[in-house]
Amino acid sequence: MRDSLRYAVKEVWRRKKRTAGAILSYFFVGAIVVVVSSLAGVTRDTAQSVLWNVGAHSVAYSPRLTIYGCCIQTFATDKYDPDREGFVVNNAPTNIISEEEIELIRQSPYVLDASPYLMFRIRSFLGSGEWLIGGIDLTGHDVYPYTVVAKSQVVEGEFIEHGEDNRIMVEDDFAGTYGLEVGSELQIGDFAYEIAAIVNPPLRPGKANIYMSLEGLRELIETRLDEIAELPINAVLIESLGARYHDQAHADIASILGSSSRITSYGCYQPSMMAMGINDRTAWIITGIVILCMLLVAMKIQYSSVIQRRFDIGVLKAIGWRDENVVIQVMTEASIYGITGGIAGVAGAFILIHLLPGDLFGDGGRSVDNYVVFAGLLLPVAGGLLAGILSAFRAARLQTADILRKA
Amino acid sequence: MENKPILKCTNLTKSFRIRKSIIEILKGVDLEVYPGELIVIKGRSGEGKSVLQWLLSGIDAPDSGEILIDGIPYNKLSSEEIANVRRQKIGLVFQNFNLIPSWTALENVESALLNSNLSAVEKREKAITILENMDLGHRLDNLPLELSVGQQQRVALARALINRPSLIIADEPTGNVDDETGNEMLNILLSYVRENNSAMVVTTHGHFTGIDLADKLYLLKDGLLVPQTKGQPEVTAAG
Ligand SMILES: Nc1ncnc2c1ncn2[C@@H]1O[C@H](COP(=O)(O)OP(=O)(O)O)[C@@H](O)[C@H]1O
Ligand SMILES: [Mg+2]
């Protein structure tokens, strides 16, 4: 046994090119497994965190059939246009939601946070049409950036802050339509607002044309309606526990706001999750094919090395080597190739991962999971041993007499 | 000779299928080899001398018939046991020496000790000693192709003799070398055989300087061993 090991080491050392070829192939197998898994893991994590947030944030409201309504007195003033103005979300007239209801929603186990939002439709003061205004509670809630507009979506100017009730932000398209610029003024009803920012949020459940503070919008609404519920709110911005709890959160909210209530989020998160899965699978299939090819190359090198040595093996068997000697030697060589290649590959992958720019890796950083390291080692070793077994059997089956006759 | 034969075979047959026809090479070979005997088997090329030698050394198996090595039939032994028999009892000398080209002289000789109970150091020392006795002490680390034909031949003989075999099987050992080298080999083999009371079976296609020394001379023809008469040998190989 020890002798066979010695002969294997000698053989590995003597045939440097072959050894380099086999080890290099296993090196690539190990390295590809680790690098691709950690990059794929990171992209998957990032993608999922995006989707997670997408699914986790939504807007709840309680639609009603008509703008004229129960809870608010809708006496038309001379300024107010009852057919066009009112509390509207997603083009639907809405009921008023109370602070207590928001508090109850907050207490649902599937809801992380809930914050008030006010959406009011008002007639246009520049030509015909209507404008949709969003009143944001700017007092430090984490939900509006995901459901309404985020600081990162400012195209020009500054995001408004709490207390700036006479400053507004307008959507890019809206600004374009009416030729509005940062710093210019916009008259809405009785008030003149300074445009603090032009923003461009993507499709969002709480999307409006104009954004201002909750307090500022309430002040404006007071001048439009004769009688109004104190501190009106008609939407709740919700952060649920995660995309998966969307349905449970909805059920809880429905039991609080009534069965006709709606909860909106991006409808695309489910199909995009599926698409992401397909992409993921494609990447893995390609990786798998590459790995398989490298494995085959390495195994071919090992196998043909045995065929090349058939003369040596025949002579050694003739002078008294046992089959087991040959098998152990070939298997030892195979293990050396697989283990060395695997370890070098994993080590190389770690180095590569640390050389790659850090922003390729998400919050998890450059850490590599243990099971990935394990797979990076296992595959080359398993490949080496499999090739070893195949070629060892081939070597053992070689007929000494045949070999000697052809020598 | 009252002692037991080291090798005894009875009625060996061997045929090969070449394409669709079956060619009988050996058709019933009987042979007894006693310790100390030099057996020479003559035969034209293609008569089956190598085939017979492989059967005798257990490298190949006959279609029928029995071969006893030291009284034990090969066909009762596992392939591992046959390998052990070959290592411990048989020294093989090949026509082309069959040294492993990528191994040094020392490694080639040492390889014959693989399954012996010696330690690595002992194996090395034993191989060095026998090579030194063959005047190759200064060429231990040379590859076969870096040695002269005569030196390669001595490496091959060192490998064949290092386990002190009681039977030497040499298949046309002088077939590929000049007379001088051939005689050198013969001297080495004969002195080994005499000193150890070993037996030797040599095949030749005619040109073999040791024919006169043979205890028994055979002609392999048409698949049979035909005993040949020859003049009384001047020296017998037996001690
Ligand atoms: N494995 C084999 N398959 C087919 N034919 C073989 C095989 N081994 C030997 N032979 C044939 O047997 C005959 C005798 O071969 P061999 O013993 O090598 O002759 P020689 O007397 O020259 O040593 C040859 O015709 C050879 O082709
Ligand atoms: Mg021959």
Side-chain angles (χ1 to χ4, degrees):
Chain A
M1 175 83 185
R2 207 186 306 138
D3 275 325
S4 302
L5 295 183
R6 205 153 49 83
Y7 277 101
V9 173
K10 262 188 192 173
E11 195 61 32
V12 164
W13 185 246
R14 221 183 311 251
R15 317 274 172 161
K16 292 196 176 61
K17 262 191 211 155
R18 191 176 67 205
T19 302
I23 289 182
L24 204 66
S25 310
Y26 287 126
F27 169 91
F28 280 121
V29 172
I32 289 170
V33 168
V34 173
V35 171
V36 171
S37 320
S38 40
L39 282 183
V42 165
T43 34
R44 201 176 42 247
D45 288 353
T46 318
Q48 266 175 4
S49 80
V50 170
L51 287 171
W52 185 261
N53 287 330
V54 167
H57 294 92
S58 48
V59 175
Y61 60 98
S62 168
R64 45 180 288 118
L65 292 176
T66 163
I67 279 186
Y68 308 103
C70 63
C71 355
I72 42 164
Q73 302 251 335
T74 54
F75 297 141
T77 67
D78 52 342
K79 304 173 224 169
Y80 176 62
D81 179 345
D83 289 327
R84 295 156 73 194
E85 300 193 12
F87 298 99
V88 164
V89 177
N90 265 359
N91 278 327
T94 57
N95 290 319
I96 294 297
I97 297 167
S98 71
E99 282 285 355
E100 292 77 52
E101 285 169 326
I102 294 185
E103 192 50 44
L104 281 176
I105 290 173
R106 252 186 221 123
Q107 282 163 14
S108 158
Y110 303 108
V111 171
L112 279 181
D113 200 2
S115 98
Y117 187 48
L118 185 53
M119 284 193 107
F120 193 78
R121 194 168 71 192
I122 200 166
R123 71 182 159 84
S124 165
F125 292 90
L126 295 170
S128 62
E130 291 107 29
W131 295 344
L132 191 58
I133 308 175
I136 307 167
D137 179 6
L138 292 162
T139 57
H141 282 288
D142 292 334
V143 197
Y144 69 79
Y146 296 100
T147 45
V148 182
V149 60
K151 282 203 171 73
S152 60
Q153 289 145 3
V154 170
V155 177
E156 207 191 326
E158 292 171 342
F159 206 86
I160 55 171
E161 290 187 21
H162 181 63
E164 298 182 331
D165 295 343
N166 56 349
R167 300 183 86 207
I168 57 171
M169 303 186 292
V170 294
E171 290 236 309
D172 210 4
D173 280 356
F174 185 82
T177 307
Y178 296 105
L180 303 174
E181 284 171 15
V182 171
S184 65
E185 271 197 356
L186 181 65
Q187 187 75 33
I188 309 174
D190 294 342
F191 299 92
Y193 295 92
E194 183 200 345
I195 295 175
I198 292 173
V199 292
N200 191 15
L203 201 62
R204 287 279 171 89
K207 200 170 166 73
N209 303 120
I210 300 160
Y211 304 101
M212 61 174 77
S213 72
L214 184 60
E215 294 77 12
L217 183 54
R218 279 172 175 160
E219 220 178 302
L220 173 63
I221 292 170
E222 267 174 41
T223 66
R224 310 299 296 169
L225 303 176
D226 278 346
E227 232 170 275
I228 180 174
E230 212 181 316
L231 303 179
I233 300 156
N234 67 333
V236 193
L237 307 180
I238 290 166
E239 182 181 13
S240 71
L241 217 47
R244 256 169 250 163
Y245 304 104
H246 191 85
D247 293 343
Q248 288 98 317
H250 191 183
D252 277 9
I253 291 162
S255 73
I256 295 162
L257 297 184
S259 58
S260 64
S261 65
R262 290 271 174 278
I263 176 161
T264 16
S265 61
Y266 313 84
C268 61
Y269 77 96
Q270 275 167 336
S272 60
M273 246 176 184
M274 254 167 65
M276 199 87 66
I278 293 166
N279 261 347
D280 229 35
R281 264 200 306 283
T282 317
W284 276 113
I285 288 169
I286 292 169
T287 309
I289 291 171
V290 171
I291 288 174
L292 198 71
C293 289
M294 299 314 281
L295 276 178
L296 287 179
V297 167
M299 290 163 81
K300 174 81 173 49
I301 291 175
Q302 279 174 255
Y303 191 78
S304 50
S305 101
V306 166
I307 303 302
Q308 277 165 18
R309 275 186 287 165
R310 61 204 306 279
F311 167 75
D312 300 15
I313 292 169
V315 171
L316 291 169
K317 278 162 85 168
I319 65 168
W321 280 39
R322 303 181 197 134
D323 286 349
E324 107 203 4
N325 299 134
V326 177
V327 168
I328 292 173
Q329 189 191 320
V330 171
M331 290 303 287
T332 309
E333 289 173 31
S335 319
I336 292 174
Y337 294 147
I339 293 172
T340 318
I343 291 176
V346 171
F350 270 91
I351 293 171
L352 182 66
I353 285 171
H354 281 268
L355 291 179
L356 287 174
D359 49 2
L360 276 179
F361 303 89
D363 298 338
R366 295 179 160 105
S367 68
V368 177
D369 286 339
N370 283 340
Y371 75 87
V372 171
V373 172
F374 180 72
L377 290 175
L378 182 77
L379 229 64
V381 173
L385 290 184
L386 181 64
I389 290 169
L390 292 178
S391 33
F393 270 103
R394 181 69 222 271
R397 263 206 330 272
L398 289 175
Q399 289 301 309
T400 314
D402 282 346
I403 295 169
L404 293 181
R405 199 161 62 88
K406 283 163 194 156
Chain B
M1 254 172 260
E2 288 306 307
N3 48 1
K4 287 195 301 179
I6 173 84
L7 185 75
K8 179 174 178 359
C9 27
T10 38
N11 206 19
L12 295 184
T13 69
K14 183 78 180 173
S15 49
F16 293 101
R17 175 185 292 273
I18 298 174
R19 290 203 199 114
K20 280 191 179 124
S21 56
I22 291 175
I23 298 177
E24 288 183 81
I25 305 297
L26 303 179
K27 299 176 181 168
V29 168
D30 298 316
L31 182 67
E32 284 189 11
V33 182
Y34 288 88
E37 271 189 333
L38 170 60
I39 312 275
V40 175
I41 298 171
K42 291 203 299 181
R44 293 221 310 271
S45 179
E47 288 288 347
K49 300 183 294 297
S50 299
V51 168
L52 177 60
Q53 296 284 50
W54 294 331
L55 296 185
L56 299 184
S57 49
I59 286 172
D60 207 353
D63 296 339
S64 68
E66 194 179 48
I67 305 168
L68 301 173
I69 177 92
D70 249 355
I72 305 161
Y74 276 131
N75 59 15
K76 293 270 164 18
L77 298 176
S78 69
S79 67
E80 309 292 86
E81 288 166 330
I82 294 176
N84 285 343
V85 165
R86 223 167 21 242
R87 175 172 57 80
Q88 291 162 344
K89 299 189 173 163
I90 300 177
L92 282 178
V93 180
F94 306 94
Q95 181 171 2
N96 322 312
F97 312 141
N98 284 356
L99 294 172
I100 293 177
S102 57
W103 291 8
T104 66
L106 182 58
E107 287 166 339
N108 265 287
V109 175
E110 237 187 300
S111 68
L113 296 171
L114 181 72
N115 291 313
S116 66
N117 292 324
L118 303 173
S119 73
V121 176
E122 288 167 333
K123 283 177 195 166
R124 170 159 290 248
E125 278 170 359
K126 194 170 174 184
I128 292 175
T129 306
I130 194 164
L131 280 166
E132 279 170 348
N133 291 342
M134 301 259 183
D135 274 339
L136 286 168
H138 57 305
R139 308 304 295 268
L140 299 177
D141 295 326
N142 283 102
L143 297 178
L145 281 179
E146 295 162 354
L147 300 171
S148 72
V149 174
Q151 287 168 326
Q152 290 176 38
Q153 171 179 278
R154 278 179 276 148
V155 174
L157 290 175
R159 184 179 68 181
L161 301 179
I162 192 166
N163 285 309
R164 314 217 126 261
S166 42
L167 174 65
I168 291 170
I169 291 179
D171 190 14
E172 299 197 51
T174 55
N176 273 2
V177 294
D178 58 40
D179 283 353
E180 196 189 329
T181 322
N183 285 333
E184 186 192 2
M185 158 150 44
L186 193 61
N187 287 333
I188 292 171
L189 287 175
L190 283 178
S191 61
Y192 172 85
V193 163
R194 284 181 193 128
E195 280 164 26
N196 296 278
N197 194 32
S198 296
M200 179 151 85
V201 179
V202 183
T203 56
T204 171
H205 62 264
H207 182 74
F208 179 66
T209 38
I211 282 186
D212 291 343
L213 307 174
D215 297 302
K216 292 175 189 161
L217 178 64
Y218 294 96
L219 180 67
L220 180 59
K221 194 168 191 304
D222 299 332
L224 293 171
L225 273 188
V226 186
Q228 301 286 291
T229 50
K230 60 173 190 66
Q232 268 309 102
E234 291 153 335
V235 192
T236 59

